[in-house]
Amino acid sequence: MTTPKLLRNAIAPGWESPCDILLKNGYIEDIGKDKELLEGKTIDLDGRVVIPGLVDGHTHLDKALS
C-alpha cells in the first residue's frame, strides 16, 4: 500500500482548466476541483501537463502530434 498523493493544479489534454488528481495505491481515485487530502503528500503542479505513465521518453512530440 502506497502513500496517497494529491496532484494540485494539473492540466491534461481536453481540460478547460487545472484540476486536482487524487492518487491512491497507484490508481486515480478522483479528479476534480479543491480536493482535500487528510493523510499523504500534496504536490502543486502549478499548471503543468500530466501524461500517462510508460510513455516512450524518446518520443519527438513535434512529430508525434502533427
Side-chain angles (χ1 to χ4, degrees), residues 37-50:
L37 184 62
L38 300 177
E39 180 181 320
K41 184 174 184 179
T42 299
I43 302 168
D44 189 354
L45 296 181
D46 196 28
R48 291 181 180 90
V49 175
V50 292

Side-chain angles (χ1 to χ4, degrees), residues 6-55:
L6 181 63
L7 305 177
R8 287 206 178 278
N9 301 312
I11 292 281
W15 292 3
E16 294 181 14
S17 61
C19 288
D20 300 337
I21 303 172
L22 178 60
L23 303 172
K24 288 187 178 177
N25 297 320
Y27 293 96
I28 296 174
E29 179 81 16
D30 199 6
I31 298 174
K33 297 279 189 178
D34 302 319
K35 296 291 174 190
E36 294 295 325
L37 184 62
L38 300 177
E39 180 181 320
K41 184 174 184 179
T42 299
I43 302 168
D44 189 354
L45 296 181
D46 196 28
R48 291 181 180 90
V49 175
V50 292
I51 58 175
L54 302 175
V55 174

